[in-house]
Amino acid sequence: MEEIDSMKEEEIVLKGQAEVYKYMFAFADSMAIKCAVELRIADIIYSHGHKMITLSQIATNIDSSSSPHTNYLQRIMTFLVRRKIFTAATSPGGETLYGLTPISRWLLHDTKLSVAPMFLLENSPILMAPWHYFSSCVKEGGIAFKKAHGCEIFEMASKDEELNKNFNNGMNSVTRNIMKEIIKRYKDGFNSITSLVDVGGGTGVAMSEIVKAYPHIKGVNFDLPHVVSIAQKYEGVHHVGGDMFQDIPPTDAVFLKWIMHDWGDEDCVKILKNCRKVIPEETGKIIIVDAVLKSEGEGLFDDMGFILDLVMIAHSSGGKERSEDEWNKLLNEAGFPRYNIIDIPAWLSIIEAYPQ
């Protein structure tokens, strides 16, 4: 009996060791995938008519000023096959053939499903650096991004054209996918609106999708001047530069997608009160699209809310993800005593709130 107990204990210890090593090198997964996205490996396979292709065919199509190092490429592909990012099979001639999986299809560039720009953004040196300051934030407080770079993320983006471009491209890639579900799940909510302001709407992708589906809506995309200055024109969408902490254009309803989580409670109340000022008292509403944390949730995307909460420590100025109780408290303080939560098949939910 003691021998069995000893074996079980040894097994538990070994399992713990394996888990620790897995987390120690967890960055290897994202860095290997980032490499594949940068080299456009999924696109190369896709361009061959979705057929499985050899390593040499992949290497030949990599955009490089010199011959790609096939040994490195082979080792990275072997790892990504193990992670089910790509598939592998042996040809009749004995060569390994690589193909796409449901995961790698999301890493294609310039497709409707693509989240490649967001993957590159989140794993860029600029956005990764603040993660190394978590322990400093715990000990001293402060903002991780500012500790890493000397300024906050939106300040840097206003001065750094490349970061601003990459940030907007990343957000747009995620927005296109999320908006499909929002429009599908919230059609009755949009039907009753004649004018809508997307606060913090970036370059206008979300509003363009709403107006396309509901052309009766007069759409305003509202964001900081340096953001809307690079926005393309969309039919039915008017771009307006401004500051949501100062004034928001008058409207029937306000749309806030992935905005509130960037800010602490005090700032969120300011934004929400500014929204309340510009919507009709009896018929107005705000539409928040953000995570609603479920501590016991075991859904497909429930983990994402808690991951994004750490992203907020890394990249925001005091932002966080919130539970329903926290949303309830925030909305009540800002003058929105009535709300309704609509789940969508993603890590976000629709929270519609009313001033009475």
Side-chain angles (χ1 to χ4, degrees):
M1 190 71 177
E2 287 183 9
E3 186 178 344
I4 293 173
D5 290 341
S6 178
M7 288 173 64
K8 285 183 177 179
E9 178 64 27
E10 186 176 338
E11 186 180 329
I12 290 168
V13 170
L14 281 173
K15 187 177 179 181
Q17 182 187 38
E19 289 292 312
V20 166
Y21 277 111
K22 183 180 76 173
Y23 291 124
M24 186 187 302
F25 295 104
F27 64 87
D29 291 44
S30 56
M31 291 299 102
I33 296 171
K34 181 191 176 192
C35 170
V37 174
E38 290 175 331
L39 296 176
R40 291 179 173 255
I41 292 173
D43 299 87
I44 291 170
I45 298 171
Y46 187 80
S47 69
H48 281 71
H50 308 201
K51 296 176 182 177
M52 298 183 77
I53 62 175
T54 65
L55 191 77
S56 60
Q57 286 176 301
I58 294 173
T60 300
N61 286 275
I62 289 174
D63 184 13
S64 175
S65 58
S66 59
S67 297
H69 196 295
T70 54
N71 178 261
Y72 289 157
L73 178 61
Q74 185 271 325
R75 289 154 66 184
I76 291 168
M77 289 301 291
T78 297
F79 179 82
L80 292 176
V81 168
R82 187 172 176 84
R83 287 293 185 265
K84 296 181 172 55
I85 308 299
F86 298 104
T87 61
T90 304
S91 73
E95 285 189 281
T96 301
L97 301 174
Y98 298 96
L100 299 177
T101 68
I103 301 174
S104 49
R105 290 180 183 277
W106 287 89
L107 302 176
L108 292 164
H109 290 75
D110 307 319
T111 66
K112 290 182 179 179
L113 284 181
S114 177
V115 292
M118 191 63 162
F119 201 100
L120 293 177
L121 174 69
E122 289 295 341
N123 290 278
S124 66
I126 289 176
L127 267 65
M128 288 298 292
W131 290 84
H132 295 280
Y133 290 84
F134 273 26
S135 58
S136 174
C137 288
V138 170
K139 291 177 181 178
E140 308 161 3
I143 298 167
F145 195 92
K146 193 170 184 177
K147 287 175 181 286
H149 299 295
C151 63
E152 296 177 27
I153 190 168
F154 294 123
E155 181 185 351
M156 178 180 278
S158 70
K159 299 171 184 176
D160 186 326
E161 288 186 15
E162 189 67 16
L163 174 59
N164 188 39
K165 176 185 172 183
N166 292 339
F167 185 89
N168 288 321
N169 287 343
M171 293 300 296
N172 289 345
S173 71
V174 174
T175 294
R176 288 188 183 94
N177 291 295
I178 290 172
M179 288 310 301
K180 291 177 188 176
E181 295 299 331
I182 291 171
I183 289 168
K184 187 192 302 182
R185 304 279 170 160
Y186 194 62
K187 59 182 180 180
D188 292 337
F190 288 123
N191 280 332
S192 61
I193 297 170
T194 56
S195 64
L196 181 66
V197 173
D198 186 357
V199 173
T203 56
V205 170
M207 184 55 74
S208 72
E209 293 296 322
I210 293 171
V211 171
K212 193 188 302 179
Y214 301 92
H216 71 278
I217 293 177
K218 179 182 176 183
V220 172
N221 178 58
F222 181 73
D223 212 314
L224 294 168
H226 76 268
V227 176
V228 297
S229 67
I230 62 170
Q232 71 180 79
K233 291 183 179 180
Y234 295 104
E235 187 176 348
V237 177
H238 180 49
H239 296 293
V240 176
D243 184 346
M244 62 187 174
F245 289 104
Q246 300 299 322
D247 296 297
I248 293 170
T251 181
D252 289 342
V254 173
F255 189 69
L256 295 143
K257 181 190 67 63
W258 232 11
I259 299 300
M260 307 304 287
H261 76 161
D262 285 327
W263 305 97
D265 291 351
E266 187 177 335
D267 283 329
C268 282
V269 169
K270 287 180 185 177
I271 296 167
L272 291 172
K273 284 184 175 179
N274 283 342
C275 293
R276 198 182 190 286
K277 289 176 187 175
V278 299
I279 61 174
E281 182 70 23
E282 294 184 3
T283 59
K285 65 179 174 179
I286 58 171
I287 306 159
I288 299 169
V289 179
D290 239 314
V292 178
L293 295 179
K294 300 172 183 176
S295 59
E296 304 299 324
E298 295 184 2
L300 194 60
F301 289 99
D302 283 341
D303 241 20
M304 276 300 302
F306 296 94
I307 293 169
L308 287 170
D309 193 40
L310 298 188
V311 172
M312 291 303 98
I313 297 175
H315 299 155
S316 76
S317 306
K320 61 181 181 178
E321 306 298 346
R322 296 173 170 89
S323 65
E324 182 175 350
D325 285 344
E326 289 173 308
W327 279 115
N328 182 26
K329 181 180 178 182
L330 203 65
L331 290 167
N332 267 290
E333 190 174 342
F336 293 92
R338 188 163 61 91
Y339 71 89
N340 180 40
I341 296 176
I342 302 166
D343 289 328
I344 57 177
W347 64 90
L348 301 173
S349 297
I350 299 167
I351 307 167
E352 54 180 5
Y354 304 88
Q356 59 171 277

